[in-house]
Amino acid sequence: MRRKLLSAALSLTMVATLFSGCGSDGGSKKGGDDSKGKVYYLNFKPEQGDDWKALAEEYTKESGVEVKVVTAASNTYEQTLKSEMAKSDAPTLFQVNGPVGLATWKDYCYDLKDSDLYKQVKSDEFVLKDGDAVPGIAYVIETYGIIYNKSLLKKYCEMDGAKVKDASEISSFAKLKEVADDIQAKKKDLGVDGAFTSAGMDSSSIWRYTTHLANLPIYYEYKADSVTSSEAIKGTYLDQYKQMFDLYLEDSTCDPKLLASKTGDESMAEFATGKAVFYQNGTWAYGDITKNGLKDEDLGMLPIYIGVDGEEEQGLCTGSENYWCVNSKASEADIKATLDFMNWCATSDKGRDKIANTMGFVTPFKAFDDGYSAKNPLIQADSELLAAGKTPVSWNFSTIPSEEWKNNLGAALTEYAQGTGKWDNVKTAFVDGWAEQYQATH
């Protein structure tokens, strides 16, 4: 999925101010006397927008309940959510990205602890808690890493002087760099444009580096300090972050000076058409990749190694930033309709089939264990690493203090990639920016 992460830049006070002119209903649904209620789902995932619309149509045919699905454009979810929540016909179903996102929207989150959907959740590790209340429930568990083309890597491994004979030998940054450098040197013979797809700095792509790659130094710092969040990140592993980003730049399909305008779609297309061996992304990208040519048997996924001691035992990055929330300001009829729709998605044959087999999601819901496991080779790669005893990397980027922090980091990374800025500016944006944004949002 092209990951467009939720902003946590607004404080609760700012949110209250934003909606102070919306009337006493705080943006609740008005008008109409449909006793069945209605559902308005503001979808976070552009790549599944059409799938959600199709599923909504199925539910309407079956139940007679109107379900409207609107999908926010790439990297605009928080902005769209704020705009839509200010309307009288506001979303009844929306999402937050974790504790930071919840802090912004918890006054608009209905308590789901008595819902049928909550009864389906396998463990409380997949929900957001606010005291005894359950304001959010994860609806998809995702995994990301370095997706690779098995056929191309096999072809490389069979070349004279190849640095490995099999993908399983790549279990550290040192070995990954050795292989990527060699592929880059032999790219003409291998028939590719580069070892890695372009590390686009366009808004549709930059989240892969300001959020997903940035998760690795955050994860290892938290692990070393035995914490789960920080108001002042130290940047202990920024040298490792740099060497991984440098590898993306050096062994790429294009000149780093061109990256400012390179998009996520271009990066995906480079991988799907066999122009690169490696592509940093996640399980959500499966549909786009296969629609553009690659087959299941072509796809594998490696952990993102950055050069930390003991990373040989590291698995893929697994977690969720996708928590369903029901608008507590909606009418009782609309809340009930929304809860029923959510439960239908998680328990009906049509809902489970669409979510598991079309969208390719892994969910935390018990009902999916009954024959509705996603047939996604990238998910299988995660299962294989878990079976081998590798430790998954948790999603700590939900603790990033604000969207502005990511924007500033992205600007510094772009200048660095173009050669117009120094790495020291990236460090400043990462460390100093974290403390500044934490204070601003808390």
Side-chain angles (χ1 to χ4, degrees):
M1 175 181 84
R2 297 179 291 274
R3 311 298 295 158
K4 292 67 52 185
L5 300 179
L6 301 179
S7 168
L10 290 177
S11 66
L12 290 176
T13 301
M14 292 171 69
V15 172
T17 300
L18 175 66
F19 296 119
S20 61
C22 298
S24 60
D25 67 350
S28 62
K29 290 174 72 67
K30 296 179 181 178
D33 56 0
D34 187 351
S35 61
K36 290 185 176 181
K38 297 179 182 178
V39 180
Y40 171 7
Y41 178 29
L42 183 61
N43 173 41
F44 175 69
K45 292 173 163 292
E47 60 271 27
Q48 274 83 36
D50 291 341
D51 296 332
W52 279 115
K53 284 186 177 180
L55 191 57
E57 290 173 3
E58 288 286 348
Y59 184 71
T60 297
K61 288 178 185 177
E62 184 174 312
S63 67
V65 174
E66 179 185 337
V67 180
K68 171 185 175 182
V69 176
V70 172
T71 299
S74 176
N75 211 34
T76 67
Y77 189 83
E78 187 75 6
Q79 175 186 343
T80 304
L81 179 59
K82 287 185 290 183
S83 174
E84 291 299 293
M85 279 295 202
K87 299 178 180 178
S88 60
D89 189 21
T92 65
L93 179 61
F94 64 100
Q95 76 173 69
V96 299
N97 72 331
V100 174
L102 178 63
T104 299
W105 292 104
K106 69 177 183 178
D107 287 351
Y108 289 80
C109 295
Y110 181 83
D111 186 359
L112 300 170
K113 70 174 180 295
D114 295 324
S115 68
D116 290 332
L117 186 69
Y118 181 53
K119 295 171 186 175
Q120 283 290 328
V121 179
K122 295 177 182 179
S123 167
D124 274 359
E125 69 177 293
F126 303 120
V127 305
L128 294 175
K129 287 288 192 76
D130 183 25
D132 293 330
V134 178
I137 296 176
Y139 65 92
V140 57
I141 308 301
E142 296 177 305
T143 297
Y144 70 91
I146 298 175
I147 304 172
Y148 67 93
N149 184 317
K150 285 186 174 181
S151 299
L152 284 175
L153 189 58
K154 182 176 183 293
K155 182 178 177 181
Y156 163 74
C157 290
E158 293 171 349
M159 297 175 73
D160 289 341
K163 303 302 181 182
V164 293
K165 295 301 181 185
D166 186 80
S168 63
E169 296 178 40
I170 304 174
S171 60
S172 67
F173 172 79
K175 182 56 69 174
L176 176 63
K177 176 173 171 52
E178 190 179 12
V179 170
D181 287 349
D182 200 36
I183 288 174
Q184 194 74 12
K186 298 172 178 175
K187 62 183 182 181
K188 289 185 179 179
D189 293 334
L190 193 56
V192 299
D193 292 340
F196 288 94
T197 62
S198 55
M201 297 287 109
D202 174 85
S203 62
S204 64
S205 175
I206 199 168
W207 50 266
R208 294 189 291 148
Y209 312 107
T210 61
T211 305
H212 285 183
L213 182 59
N215 185 68
L216 274 298
I218 297 170
Y219 165 77
Y220 278 110
E221 181 171 324
Y222 284 3
K223 185 178 179 182
D225 294 347
S226 299
V227 300
T228 57
S229 64
S230 176
E231 63 182 54
I233 202 84
K234 294 183 294 187
T236 309
Y237 295 94
L238 286 186
D239 287 346
Q240 288 83 356
Y241 177 60
K242 178 182 183 297
Q243 66 182 4
M244 188 66 227
F245 189 66
D246 283 346
L247 187 62
Y248 288 156
L249 301 182
E250 294 162 3
D251 293 345
S252 173
T253 55
C254 74
D255 188 317
K257 293 179 181 179
L258 303 176
L259 291 177
S261 61
K262 284 287 185 178
T263 68
D265 284 344
E266 287 177 286
S267 184
M268 182 279 298
E270 291 165 6
F271 182 75
T273 57
K275 299 299 183 183
V277 179
F278 301 115
Y279 172 43
Q280 184 195 303
N281 218 322
T283 50
W284 55 85
Y286 168 71
D288 285 340
I289 291 171
T290 53
K291 284 176 187 175
N292 282 274
L294 290 186
K295 306 297 183 184
D296 284 9
E297 56 267 27
D298 294 322
L299 300 176
M301 186 151 55
L302 297 167
I304 300 176
Y305 299 113
I306 63 172
V308 177
D309 289 343
E311 67 182 358
E312 293 81 1
E313 298 306 313
Q314 175 190 313
L316 298 170
C317 300
T318 300
S320 184
E321 57 164 347
N322 303 280
Y323 293 87
W324 268 340
C325 302
V326 174
N327 186 358
S328 61
K329 309 297 183 183
S331 69
E332 289 185 13
D334 289 353
I335 288 174
K336 183 182 184 304
T338 302
L339 294 172
D340 289 345
F341 172 66
M342 294 162 70
N343 188 56
W344 181 86
C345 288
T347 59
S348 71
D349 287 343
K350 289 180 180 178
R352 289 181 295 171
D353 179 64
K354 177 68 75 173
I355 288 173
N357 298 322
T358 302
M359 299 185 198
F361 288 170
V362 173
T363 79
F365 306 127
K366 299 171 187 175
F368 280 77
D369 292 341
D370 183 22
Y372 288 94
S373 297
K375 299 174 179 64
N376 182 331
L378 302 178
I379 293 170
Q380 293 170 9
D382 183 45
S383 298
E384 290 169 4
L385 286 167
L386 286 172
K390 304 302 181 183
T391 302
V393 171
S394 58
W395 285 22
N396 301 104
F397 53 75
S398 61
T399 67
I400 288 172
S402 73
E403 193 73 16
E404 187 64 18
W405 180 87
K406 287 179 275 185
N407 292 339
N408 293 336
L409 177 62
L413 285 172
T414 300
E415 291 178 357
Y416 174 73
Q418 293 176 152
T420 57
K422 297 181 179 180
W423 185 257
D424 283 347
N425 296 335
V426 176
K427 287 184 177 181
T428 298
F430 205 108
V431 178
D432 296 349
W434 186 290
E436 291 167 3
Q437 289 300 311
Y438 187 94
Q439 291 301 317
T441 57
H442 288 73

